[in-house]
Amino acid sequence: MVTIALFGGTGRTGHRVLARALAAGYEVRALVRDPGPLTVSSPAPTVIGGDVLDPRAVGDTVAGSDVVLSLFGQVKGSPPALQTDGTRNIVDAMKRHGVGRIVTLSGGGLSAPLDRPKLPDRIIRFLLRKFSGPVLADAEGHLEVLEASGLEWTVVRGPRLTEKPGSQSYRVGWVGVDASTQISRDDLADFILTQAEDRTYVRQMPFVST
């Protein structure tokens, strides 16, 4: 059975991925700063206490895994380069431990070569860069780390995330191509977990929407 190293497993999307991974029979090694928000009990993940900016804790999490799901991101008070520096720590640990596959999470503001943004998409990207410039710059920095890594990476991107129950029906396309403006966190979590073993989107940035 595949073992997943999970970063960001206590977040609003991450905890859904964690629950689905355990229910599907995956072994999970989860790095958490505070285990309190973990609500799963049986089966339970292997919990490593620490921070993604701590190379030792990151290495302990990656050791013995087959694939990394990296779902952490900026929150209020985060260092400006959290995703970039954390991703660099993860990539370094993957190389030390011989792990070749990583899946990360970002938003539609991160551009991909196959995107064909329409006017509303371009407006949204303009507003993101204007009002959330540091967060977007951090997302772009983490992508640069992945592109230089030589690993089998996939960046999963989504539009506006909702708390609606999942429909188990979603589209995988590109911004402006077979895409809508929202997706439930449940459906996004479903897709992210498929990427633990699916290699369809290696070194690509699919956009997942309802």
Side-chain angles (χ1 to χ4, degrees):
M1 175 55 68
V2 171
T3 298
I4 295 171
L6 179 62
F7 298 87
T10 59
R12 285 186 290 173
T13 301
H15 86 266
R16 289 169 163 89
V17 174
L18 174 59
R20 284 162 170 75
L22 294 171
Y26 289 98
E27 297 286 337
V28 179
R29 299 177 59 81
L31 177 68
V32 297
R33 286 181 297 175
D34 176 12
L38 286 178
T39 57
V40 292
S41 56
S42 180
T46 298
V47 176
I48 295 91
D51 189 280
V52 73
L53 298 180
D54 178 357
R56 179 175 295 183
V58 171
D60 290 344
T61 307
V62 170
S65 68
D66 302 294
V67 58
V68 171
L69 301 184
S70 178
L71 312 180
F72 74 95
Q74 292 273 352
V75 295
K76 186 176 181 179
S78 295
L82 174 69
Q83 192 175 23
T84 301
D85 293 341
T87 301
R88 185 176 293 109
N89 285 340
I90 292 170
V91 165
D92 289 345
M94 291 174 67
K95 291 180 178 180
R96 289 198 307 271
H97 293 285
V99 181
R101 174 71 169 143
I102 177 171
V103 181
T104 73
L105 177 62
S106 190
L110 192 62
S111 299
L114 294 177
D115 289 345
R116 297 294 181 269
K118 297 179 174 61
L119 179 59
D121 303 312
R122 292 196 293 271
I123 291 173
I124 290 171
R125 283 182 172 174
F126 170 80
L127 294 174
L128 285 171
R129 192 166 294 278
K130 182 176 178 62
F131 295 107
S132 300
V135 175
L136 183 55
D138 194 21
E140 292 170 341
H142 112 280
L143 175 60
E144 291 174 2
V145 171
L146 293 175
E147 290 177 327
S149 70
L151 300 174
E152 291 188 343
W153 57 267
T154 298
V155 178
V156 176
R157 300 176 300 154
R160 183 172 66 88
L161 304 182
T162 74
E163 302 295 330
K164 296 177 182 177
S167 64
Q168 297 185 325
S169 176
Y170 49 80
R171 290 180 281 180
V172 183
W174 313 97
V175 173
V177 182
D178 195 21
S180 71
T181 59
Q182 65 179 15
I183 188 171
S184 76
R185 292 184 186 273
D186 285 338
D187 286 335
L188 184 61
D190 286 341
F191 177 77
I192 289 170
L193 187 57
T194 68
Q195 299 307 291
E197 299 187 65
D198 186 355
R199 298 299 192 271
T200 301
Y201 298 102
V202 167
R203 300 188 181 94
Q204 296 186 58
M205 295 188 283
F207 186 79
V208 187
S209 62
T210 301

